[in-house]
Each structure stands twice: as structure tokens, then as C-alpha cells.
Amino acid sequence: MIAKARLETLTDGIFAVAMTLLVLDLRFPADAEIRTDQELLSAIGGLLSGPFIAYLVSFFVIGMRWRTVSRLGGTRAHVGESFVRWSFVHLFFITLMPFSTMAVGRYVDLAPAVWLYAANTILAAAAAYRLVRVSEAEEDTGQASEANLAMAILIAVALASIAISLLSPRLAMWTYVLVFLVPAARRWRTGLAG
């Protein structure tokens, strides 16, 4: 058994660092010669159309994942080896998010960059799904249904982004805006159950 508090501290730290590292790729090109207001506005526009979208999406996707895993583990003081193992698998994919975000931010017009980002998203969501299952097996907190819905939506959105990238890689990243429907889907599902 591992102390849950120690794993939570590591998890919070990794999420915080990953979310912070995302912003480091928001910079003007090294060869940019900005001397006028118009050149600066043009450079900012260039960031907004690619790297900033990737940053924005990744920040909120990682935040939603943190929200899901922060609720896991229930009230117990210790967690089992399987929970720890799947936590590490999930955290591994979280640490890759800054790289896949950088790739899609720099190469937003290339479909393989979208595929890399989607693969990272799908693998992290799959690991989170397994982590939820392991957590619920150790202590039923009743959160599996909500977490499974969020992971299913995230995987569906990532798959949709891959399909859209075949037509327009830049447009494909906008499909992640659909992730913001997760709270509405939860409310709708709660309304059906109630």
C-alpha cells in the first residue's frame, strides 16, 4: 500500500508542471523582426491561429483530467499497487501533453501533428478510464459513471479531430471545443437519472 497523500502530491505537481510547460511554446518565431504596430499585431495573430489554440485546448483538457483524477481514491489513506501503477501510466501521458501541444501548435496545418495530439489524448483518457476502474474496485465512490462519460467524450472528440484533419488539420483542433460539452452532458445525464 502507498500513502494516498504522497501520490496526490506527485500527481498535483506533475499536472501543475505540465500545464505550466504548455505556455513555453507561445513565442514569436526567432527570426521575427517586429518593428511596427502592424508587424506586432500580425505576429500575435499568427500565435492566435495555431499555438494559442493548442495551448488553450491542452490547458483545459489537462485541467479536466486533473479534476477527474483528483476525485479518485475515495476517503482511504492508502491506495493499492494497481492504483499507483495506473496513476503512473496516466501521468506519463500527461507529461507528454506539452510535447504534443508544441507539435500541433507549430505544425497546425499538418495532419500528423493532429494525429500525435489525438493519440496522446486518447492514450491518456484510456489510462484514466482504467485508473477510474481500479479506484472504484478498491473503494466504490460512485464517480465511475461521471468519469467514464468524460473519458468517452474526450476519446470521441479526439477521433473526430483525426477524421477532420484529413480535410483540414487546422480546423481539426477546434473539435476539442466539444470537450466543453462534458458539464452539459453530465447535467443531462443527471436529469435523466433523476
Side-chain angles (χ1 to χ4, degrees), residues 17-68:
V17 169
M19 291 172 87
T20 302
L21 288 176
L22 293 172
V23 78
L24 295 180
D25 205 50
L26 284 183
R27 58 180 177 263
F28 298 119
D31 61 347
E33 294 185 25
I34 300 170
R35 294 188 183 98
T36 67
D37 294 347
Q38 186 58 39
E39 289 171 343
L40 179 58
L41 288 173
S42 178
I44 291 170
L47 286 177
L48 292 177
S49 67
F52 184 77
I53 296 303
Y55 165 73
L56 180 71
V57 166
S58 294
F59 185 88
F60 284 102
V61 166
I62 290 174
M64 290 174 71
R65 288 196 190 132
W66 175 85
R67 182 177 179 264
T68 298

Side-chain angles (χ1 to χ4, degrees), residues 3-17:
K4 181 182 164 208
R6 302 231 22 220
L7 184 59
E8 288 173 336
T9 300
L10 175 65
T11 299
D12 288 348
I14 287 175
F15 271 90
V17 169

Side-chain angles (χ1 to χ4, degrees), residues 142-163:
Q143 296 172 1
S145 177
E146 180 180 327
N148 291 339
L149 175 65
M151 294 306 115
I153 290 172
L154 188 56
I155 289 170
V157 168
L159 290 171
S161 78
I162 291 170

